[in-house]
Amino acid sequence: MAQALPKPGLRPFLPEDVPVLAAIFTASIEELTGDDYSEAQQQAWMAAAEDEEFGKGLASDLTLIATLEGSPVGFASLRGKDHIRMLYVHPAVAGQGLATMLVDALEKLAGGRGADKLTVDASDNAQGFFGKRGYVAMQRNSITVNDEWLANTTMQKTLGSGPATGALQ
């Protein structure tokens, strides 16, 4: 008989979470983005975890932690009332619904804060995930991270109206 998977939980960010979240961030980039970004781009992106701004950003945003059996396995942060700044899940648990759980919670919180739209600057490997949730690509971006150019796409979802059907005019 198959063993049931542990039920995931959600909790708020605590300052002592920074080291484990930095490890999740790094592992996620290293193992899940290789098809979309070069090794140099991945290294530049992962270096952000070593910057003290990493922890400060998590603390200043509304950051939620996904847990399995009490251990952090993913996180997401909402900046202001309407921008998903970060969404990372450890590769060992990718595809198990944790990112969905995190974004569901952020969408509810954003709506509760009065947001009518939610935006995210989605990495190339995250675009499909957000697209399935009703986010629509608005613009392509090129950003410099530690002297490397990385591309992402600003995507937007209108909250409370179900999946979006096309780009906003």
Side-chain angles (χ1 to χ4, degrees):
M1 192 164 162
Q3 187 174 5
L5 292 173
K7 185 169 170 50
L10 272 181
R11 67 168 176 80
F13 166 82
L14 300 169
E16 56 267 25
D17 291 325
V18 172
V20 72
L21 299 188
I24 291 167
F25 174 83
T26 301
S28 179
I29 294 166
E30 187 171 40
E31 295 185 38
L32 301 176
T33 67
D35 289 344
D36 298 299
Y37 298 94
S38 71
E39 187 175 335
Q41 289 171 316
Q42 288 175 304
Q43 293 296 326
W45 189 357
M46 289 187 293
E50 299 167 11
D51 188 329
E52 78 178 50
E53 291 302 313
F54 181 83
K56 286 181 181 177
L58 292 170
S60 66
D61 293 345
L62 189 161
T63 301
L64 296 177
I65 312 294
T67 62
L68 285 175
E69 297 180 338
S71 297
V73 292
F75 66 98
S77 65
L78 183 67
R79 176 146 294 171
K81 69 177 184 180
D82 61 1
H83 184 73
I84 297 174
R85 191 174 74 86
M86 298 182 108
L87 172 64
Y88 293 90
V89 174
H90 194 280
V93 296
Q96 296 182 24
L98 295 162
T100 296
M101 179 181 73
L102 285 162
V103 174
D104 283 348
L106 289 186
E107 289 176 358
K108 286 182 179 112
L109 288 165
R113 289 178 163 198
D116 57 349
K117 294 180 176 105
L118 198 53
T119 62
V120 62
D121 294 327
S123 63
D124 290 352
N125 60 298
Q127 279 187 60
F129 169 81
F130 284 105
K132 288 176 188 169
R133 296 187 57 83
Y135 288 75
V136 177
M138 302 303 289
Q139 74 179 32
R140 191 81 172 133
N141 309 302
S142 290
I143 58 170
T144 305
V145 177
N146 295 319
D147 297 325
E148 284 290 327
W149 286 97
L150 281 81
N152 66 31
T153 301
T154 300
M155 300 180 79
Q156 181 175 283
K157 178 179 182 178
T158 301
L159 297 176
S161 65
T165 56
L168 300 176
Q169 300 298 316

